Amino acid sequence: EIVLTQSPATLSLSPGERATLSCRASQSVSSYLAWYQQKPGQAPRLLIYDASNRATGIPARFSGSGSGTDFTLTISSLEPEDFAVYYCQQRSNWPRFTFGPGTKVDIK
Amino acid sequence: EVQLVESGGGLVQPGRSLRLSCAASGFTFDDYAMHWVRQAPGKGLEWVSGISWNSGSIGYADSVKGRFTISRDNAKNSLYLQMNSLRAEDTALYYCAKESLGYCSHWGQGTLVTVSS
């Protein structure tokens, strides 16, 4: 089973700052990694797929990078609506998926 | 517009069974794989099960394998999750998700399952 770890668990930043979130896989998942955003009381929303592709309607301030076992989600300049929990997810052994434990981005 | 509406959740005693349903609309259901993802109260997302468009490929998380069964009825645009031998740790909000581009592109609002005596 592929295990995903995310760091940090919590990231405290101010609006306008840059956020850098990490996701690490226990074995290579190639580029088969996605990032989701979840706000309280809402379903998750797909942000990035295949490591670096923005999903439909996702602002350009969100970007993803990485391959193999190490991945990064970057939010270039935090907007008030970006404070949320972010999850990575791999699909390299489809149809079995795995989610990471999440990183909470909160307001400093 | 893609719509996914889950139903069938509720309070159930440990060891009993429950069947969840997901009604899909706004897209050609039988073109897409589908998934169930759950979220325990205050916890993260856990993938539960996935099924290909024609039910030819199915996968389960180790935590539910042998107890849960995923299925779909393309004629009814519906996805199902039969949950047997339920445990307290199965308590969660269960989301139905449409797979597109290889990932969960659209999600329902979830149905809550509570396993308690």
Side-chain angles (χ1 to χ4, degrees):
Chain A
E1 180 187 342
I2 298 174
V3 177
L4 299 178
T5 56
Q6 292 186 241
S7 61
T10 303
L11 193 54
S12 297
L13 295 169
S14 301
E17 289 194 295
R18 182 184 188 90
T20 303
L21 289 67
S22 174
C23 176
R24 177 165 289 178
S26 59
Q27 62 189 77
S28 176
V29 298
S30 185
S31 294
Y32 298 131
L33 189 108
W35 291 92
Y36 298 83
Q37 177 193 67
Q38 187 179 33
K39 298 178 182 179
Q42 296 184 16
R45 176 174 69 146
L46 178 66
L47 298 176
I48 301 288
Y49 66 94
D50 286 348
S52 61
N53 298 288
R54 275 189 301 277
T56 302
I58 302 303
R61 64 181 181 273
F62 291 93
S63 63
S65 63
S67 65
T69 61
D70 290 294
F71 301 86
T72 301
L73 173 70
T74 301
I75 310 171
S76 59
S77 178
L78 282 164
E79 297 288 340
E81 62 267 28
D82 299 337
F83 291 93
V85 180
Y86 292 83
Y87 297 94
C88 57
Q89 176 244 313
Q90 68 83 24
R91 70 168 187 97
S92 71
N93 53 342
W94 187 95
R96 295 195 63 178
F97 289 176
T98 311
F99 285 93
T103 290
K104 182 178 183 180
V105 178
D106 65 15
I107 300 176
K108 188 174 181 181
Chain B
E1 178 191 2
V2 172
Q3 284 204 316
L4 299 167
V5 180
E6 303 93 337
S7 61
L11 175 64
V12 61
Q13 293 180 327
R16 303 298 290 266
S17 299
L18 208 58
R19 189 194 196 207
L20 305 184
S21 298
C22 172
S25 61
F27 64 102
T28 304
F29 183 71
D30 55 12
D31 278 350
Y32 293 91
M34 299 291 294
H35 297 266
W36 289 100
V37 178
R38 69 185 180 183
Q39 188 167 35
K43 302 297 184 183
L45 302 173
E46 180 187 15
W47 176 82
V48 174
S49 183
I51 186 169
S52 63
W53 66 277
N54 63 351
S55 305
S57 293
I58 287 175
Y60 297 99
D62 290 344
S63 58
V64 307
K65 196 176 298 183
R67 299 188 299 122
F68 290 12
T69 302
I70 192 172
S71 62
R72 64 190 295 162
D73 185 337
N74 288 342
K76 294 183 177 180
N77 290 346
S78 293
L79 177 72
Y80 305 102
L81 187 67
Q82 177 66 42
M83 305 187 295
N84 298 333
S85 303
L86 282 161
R87 307 166 180 167
E89 54 265 35
D90 295 319
T91 294
L93 185 64
Y94 284 73
Y95 292 104
C96 161
K98 167 182 174 281
E99 182 186 308
S100 181
L101 304 170
Y103 302 93
C104 297
S105 62
H106 295 82
W107 300 64
Q109 286 306 302
T111 186
L112 183 62
V113 173
T114 303
V115 184
S116 175
S117 53

